[in-house]
Amino acid sequence: METKILTIQSAEDGAAIAEAAEALKSGKLVIFPTETVYGLGADALNETAVDGIFTAKGRPRDNPLIVHIAHEDQVLDLVSVIPPKGKDCMDIFWPGPLTLIFNRSELVPNYVTAGLDSVAIRMPDHPVARSILQEANIPVVAPSANTSGRPSPTTADHVVEDMMGKVDLIIDGGHTGVGIESTVLDVTVDPPMILRPGGITREDLEAIIGPVDMDETILPSDSSIIPKSPGQKYKHYAPRGEAYVFAGNIIGIAGEINRRVRESGSKKTAVLATTETLELYRGMDLLVNMGSRDNLKEVAHNIFDALRCCDDEGMEVIFIEGFELEGMGVSIMNRLLKAAGGKVILGL
């Protein structure tokens, strides 16, 4: 397949926006930036187009997809009911990095939901994505635009690395903002339940709708899970090297990582650290600063770039500092633990 790359500097670039929207409406695969990561888009009601997403990504077909919309009126066609807490979330957090799970209407096909009675919907807050969706005026499924299991793409270069020749059109809109995928909140249950942490924290949600539960699959678990949300069942975000996450006292973490670096022999080793701890490490082949522990949004923004940097440099072993399981730290640790396949060193 020949892939066209189109750079869009502004949502006001009408001709380019129209080209991308027309491609989606005609059943083509279009990759575009959102405020979280780049998404691989297809017409949600076109089975052939959606099937192309699974093929391009190598994505298991029992992994449900998120439907992206441009305006709230589209929700009415896709769901059977909007619970009051779901409406509150729409009013406060849309557009933005929050996906809501509703009971689906008969319009939503099984190939989008993996046969579930629910559907995941979000309204992205990226000017280019919103303009494309508004122009197309169709529901668009758009999982992250990477080979399944690889770190999600936050730049067009990442997209090209994984998807060139597999899709029809790539929209280069620069670096994404949040850097990790949206929070997924199931509002078909009460209290609502977070199925995937992301740019909207549990604390953010509870300030608006009261108590919110956290699904047990937030941390890696067994493969028998029937996923209601992308990212629950399969290994995700994995670099090519063997990755380990370390949790506990940061001084203890640094000491243990340094010990393991010394024992790595001839293997190329990387350490993913933070601004406050960079000077603690010695002897590794690559030291990557994920950002400051005082600014976890910065860390979240940099995670996937850091993992792909390890791949670019051919790192064979990757040691990663962990974070406290609160606020944005939950979202960060969810991604890191999945990237490491659940390999975590605790209690340091």
Side-chain angles (χ1 to χ4, degrees), residues 327-345:
M328 189 64 74
V330 176
S331 305
I332 293 169
M333 285 296 284
N334 170 262
R335 301 317 193 271
L336 293 180
L337 288 171
K338 286 183 176 290
K343 295 186 293 295
V344 58
I345 313 300

Side-chain angles (χ1 to χ4, degrees), residues 293-333:
R293 289 181 172 273
D294 292 330
N295 185 356
L296 293 187
K297 288 187 176 181
E298 176 188 23
V299 174
H301 176 82
N302 293 330
I303 285 175
F304 293 137
D305 280 354
L307 292 172
R308 284 187 177 260
C309 179
C310 291
D311 285 349
D312 293 342
E313 298 296 327
M315 295 297 109
E316 298 171 272
V317 183
I318 304 164
F319 301 124
I320 311 171
E321 291 182 2
F323 298 84
E324 295 292 328
L325 291 175
E326 59 184 20
M328 189 64 74
V330 176
S331 305
I332 293 169
M333 285 296 284

Side-chain angles (χ1 to χ4, degrees), residues 35-36 69-70 72 75 84-100 102 121-126 130 178 182-187 192 194 198-212 297 328:
E35 79 279 19
T36 58
I69 60 170
E72 287 190 11
V75 177
K85 291 181 180 179
K87 184 62 168 65
D88 289 341
C89 287
M90 291 164 59
D91 291 342
I92 298 299
F93 298 109
W94 279 8
L98 177 66
T99 294
L100 297 173
F102 301 96
I121 304 175
R122 95 173 187 96
M123 183 189 298
D125 186 21
H126 187 289
R130 294 198 69 196
V178 177
S182 60
T183 300
V184 178
L185 181 70
D186 185 354
V187 295
I194 294 175
I200 303 296
T201 68
R202 184 180 192 172
E203 291 82 356
D204 294 334
L205 293 166
E206 290 187 332
I208 302 301
I209 60 173
V212 171
K297 288 187 176 181
M328 189 64 74

Side-chain angles (χ1 to χ4, degrees), residues 208-281:
I208 302 301
I209 60 173
V212 171
D213 286 340
M214 191 85 72
D215 191 86
E216 62 183 12
T217 60
I218 292 301
L219 300 182
S221 50
D222 70 73
S223 60
S224 64
I225 297 162
I226 298 174
K228 293 185 73 175
S229 167
Q232 282 191 296
K233 184 171 182 180
Y234 297 97
K235 184 177 179 182
H236 277 61
Y237 324 120
R240 296 187 179 95
E242 193 79 3
Y244 298 85
V245 179
F246 295 77
N249 177 274
I250 192 60
I251 301 301
I253 287 174
E256 179 65 14
I257 288 178
N258 281 329
R259 184 185 70 80
R260 291 178 181 240
V261 168
R262 291 193 300 271
E263 294 178 353
S264 294
S266 61
K267 290 184 178 179
K268 297 185 70 175
T269 59
V271 175
L272 272 54
T274 46
T275 303
E276 294 81 1
T277 61
L278 292 175
E279 296 182 355
L280 299 178
Y281 296 103

